[in-house]
Coordinates of all heavy atoms in Angstrom, one line a residue:
F1 N 0.9 -1.2 0.0 CA 0.0 0.0 0.0 C 0.9 1.2 0.0 O 0.9 2.0 1.0 CB -0.9 0.0 1.2 CG -1.8 -1.2 1.3 CD1 -1.5 -2.3 2.1 CD2 -3.0 -1.2 0.6 CE1 -2.3 -3.4 2.2 CE2 -3.8 -2.4 0.7 CZ -3.5 -3.4 1.4
A2 N 1.6 1.4 -1.1 CA 2.6 2.5 -1.1 C 1.9 3.9 -1.2 O 0.8 4.0 -1.8 CB 3.5 2.3 -2.4
S3 N 2.5 4.8 -0.5 CA 2.1 6.2 -0.6 C 3.2 7.1 -1.2 O 2.9 8.3 -1.5 CB 1.6 6.7 0.8 OG 2.7 6.7 1.7
R4 N 4.4 6.6 -1.3 CA 5.5 7.3 -1.8 C 6.3 6.4 -2.7 O 6.4 5.2 -2.5 CB 6.4 7.9 -0.7 CG 5.8 9.1 0.1 CD 6.8 9.6 1.1 NE 6.4 10.8 1.8 CZ 5.7 10.7 3.0 NH1 5.5 9.5 3.5 NH2 5.4 11.8 3.6
G5 N 7.1 7.0 -3.6 CA 8.0 6.2 -4.4 C 7.5 5.6 -5.7 O 6.3 5.7 -6.0
F6 N 8.4 5.0 -6.4 CA 8.0 4.4 -7.7 C 8.6 3.0 -7.9 O 9.6 2.7 -7.3 CB 8.4 5.4 -8.8 CG 9.9 5.4 -9.0 CD1 10.5 4.6 -9.9 CD2 10.7 6.3 -8.4 CE1 11.9 4.6 -10.1 CE2 12.0 6.4 -8.5 CZ 12.6 5.5 -9.4
K7 N 8.0 2.3 -8.8 CA 8.5 1.0 -9.2 C 8.5 1.0 -10.7 O 7.5 1.4 -11.4 CB 7.6 -0.1 -8.7 CG 8.0 -1.5 -9.1 CD 7.1 -2.6 -8.6 CE 7.5 -4.0 -9.1 NZ 6.6 -5.0 -8.6
F8 N 9.6 0.6 -11.3 CA 9.8 0.6 -12.7 C 10.5 -0.6 -13.2 O 11.5 -1.0 -12.6 CB 10.6 1.9 -13.2 CG 10.9 1.9 -14.6 CD1 9.9 2.3 -15.6 CD2 12.1 1.6 -15.1 CE1 10.2 2.3 -16.9 CE2 12.4 1.7 -16.5 CZ 11.5 2.0 -17.4
Y9 N 10.0 -1.2 -14.3 CA 10.7 -2.3 -14.9 C 10.5 -2.3 -16.4 O 9.4 -2.2 -16.9 CB 10.2 -3.7 -14.3 CG 11.0 -4.9 -14.8 CD1 12.1 -5.2 -14.2 CD2 10.6 -5.6 -16.0 CE1 12.9 -6.3 -14.6 CE2 11.3 -6.6 -16.4 CZ 12.5 -7.0 -15.8 OH 13.2 -8.1 -16.2
S10 N 11.6 -2.4 -17.1 CA 11.5 -2.4 -18.6 C 12.5 -3.4 -19.1 O 13.6 -3.6 -18.6 CB 11.9 -1.0 -19.1 OG 11.8 -1.0 -20.5
S11 N 12.1 -4.1 -20.1 CA 12.9 -5.2 -20.7 C 12.8 -5.1 -22.2 O 11.8 -4.8 -22.8 CB 12.6 -6.6 -20.2 OG 11.3 -6.9 -20.6
L12 N 13.9 -5.5 -22.9 CA 14.0 -5.7 -24.3 C 14.5 -7.1 -24.6 O 15.6 -7.4 -24.1 CB 14.9 -4.6 -25.0 CG 15.1 -4.8 -26.5 CD1 13.8 -4.6 -27.2 CD2 16.1 -3.8 -27.0
K13 N 13.7 -7.9 -25.3 CA 14.1 -9.3 -25.5 C 14.1 -9.5 -27.0 O 13.3 -9.1 -27.8 CB 13.0 -10.2 -24.9 CG 13.0 -10.2 -23.4 CD 12.0 -11.2 -22.8 CE 12.0 -11.2 -21.3 NZ 11.1 -12.2 -20.7
Y14 N 15.2 -10.3 -27.4 CA 15.3 -10.7 -28.8 C 15.1 -12.2 -28.8 O 15.9 -13.0 -28.3 CB 16.7 -10.4 -29.3 CG 17.1 -10.9 -30.7 CD1 16.2 -10.8 -31.7 CD2 18.3 -11.6 -30.9 CE1 16.5 -11.3 -33.0 CE2 18.6 -12.1 -32.2 CZ 17.7 -11.9 -33.2 OH 18.0 -12.4 -34.5
I15 N 13.9 -12.6 -29.4 CA 13.6 -14.0 -29.5 C 14.2 -14.6 -30.8 O 13.7 -14.3 -31.9 CB 12.0 -14.2 -29.5 CG1 11.4 -13.4 -28.3 CG2 11.7 -15.7 -29.4 CD1 9.9 -13.4 -28.3
F16 N 15.3 -15.3 -30.6 CA 16.1 -15.6 -31.8 C 16.0 -17.1 -32.2 O 16.5 -17.5 -33.3 CB 17.6 -15.3 -31.5 CG 18.2 -16.1 -30.4 CD1 18.8 -17.3 -30.6 CD2 18.3 -15.5 -29.1 CE1 19.4 -18.0 -29.6 CE2 18.9 -16.2 -28.1 CZ 19.4 -17.4 -28.3
D17 N 15.3 -17.9 -31.4 CA 15.2 -19.3 -31.9 C 14.0 -20.0 -31.2 O 13.6 -19.6 -30.1 CB 16.4 -20.1 -31.5 CG 16.5 -21.5 -32.2 OD1 15.8 -21.6 -33.2 OD2 17.3 -22.3 -31.8
S18 N 13.4 -20.9 -31.9 CA 12.2 -21.6 -31.4 C 12.0 -22.9 -32.3 O 12.3 -22.9 -33.4 CB 11.0 -20.8 -31.4 OG 9.8 -21.5 -31.0
N19 N 11.3 -23.9 -31.7 CA 11.0 -25.1 -32.4 C 9.5 -25.0 -32.9 O 9.0 -26.0 -33.4 CB 11.2 -26.3 -31.6 CG 10.2 -26.4 -30.4 OD1 9.6 -25.4 -30.0 ND2 10.2 -27.5 -29.8
V20 N 8.9 -23.8 -32.8 CA 7.5 -23.6 -33.3 C 7.5 -23.4 -34.8 O 8.4 -22.7 -35.3 CB 6.9 -22.4 -32.6 CG1 5.5 -22.1 -33.1 CG2 6.8 -22.6 -31.1
K21 N 6.6 -24.0 -35.5 CA 6.5 -23.9 -36.9 C 6.2 -22.4 -37.3 O 5.5 -21.7 -36.6 CB 5.3 -24.7 -37.4 CG 5.5 -26.2 -37.3 CD 4.4 -27.0 -37.9 CE 4.6 -28.5 -37.8 NZ 3.5 -29.3 -38.3
N22 N 6.8 -22.0 -38.4 CA 6.6 -20.7 -39.0 C 7.1 -19.6 -38.0 O 6.6 -18.5 -38.0 CB 5.2 -20.4 -39.3 CG 4.6 -21.4 -40.3 OD1 5.3 -21.8 -41.3 ND2 3.4 -21.8 -40.1
F23 N 8.1 -20.0 -37.2 CA 8.7 -19.0 -36.2 C 9.5 -18.0 -37.0 O 10.3 -18.2 -37.9 CB 9.6 -19.8 -35.2 CG 10.5 -18.8 -34.4 CD1 10.0 -18.1 -33.4 CD2 11.8 -18.7 -34.7 CE1 10.7 -17.2 -32.7 CE2 12.6 -17.8 -34.0 CZ 12.1 -17.1 -33.0
D24 N 9.4 -16.7 -36.6 CA 10.2 -15.6 -37.1 C 10.9 -15.0 -35.9 O 10.4 -14.8 -34.8 CB 9.3 -14.5 -37.7 CG 8.8 -14.8 -39.0 OD1 9.3 -15.8 -39.6 OD2 7.8 -14.2 -39.5
K25 N 12.2 -14.6 -36.1 CA 12.9 -13.8 -35.1 C 12.2 -12.5 -34.9 O 11.7 -11.9 -35.8 CB 14.3 -13.6 -35.6 CG 15.2 -14.9 -35.7 CD 16.6 -14.6 -36.2 CE 17.3 -15.9 -36.4 NZ 18.7 -15.6 -36.9

């Protein structure tokens, strides 16, 4: 129950491989 401050989260992901059909990077 915050009354002050902040929370921040940011991510950048490169999905470069998969065994799913028709997969695109």
Side-chain angles (χ1 to χ4, degrees):
F1 301 96
S3 60
R4 291 184 175 91
F6 69 92
K7 180 181 180 182
F8 175 76
Y9 185 85
S10 180
S11 66
L12 175 63
K13 295 183 178 182
Y14 174 47
I15 309 173
F16 62 86
D17 194 17
S18 175
N19 64 348
V20 177
K21 292 181 180 180
N22 302 319
F23 167 76
D24 284 344
K25 296 179 180 179

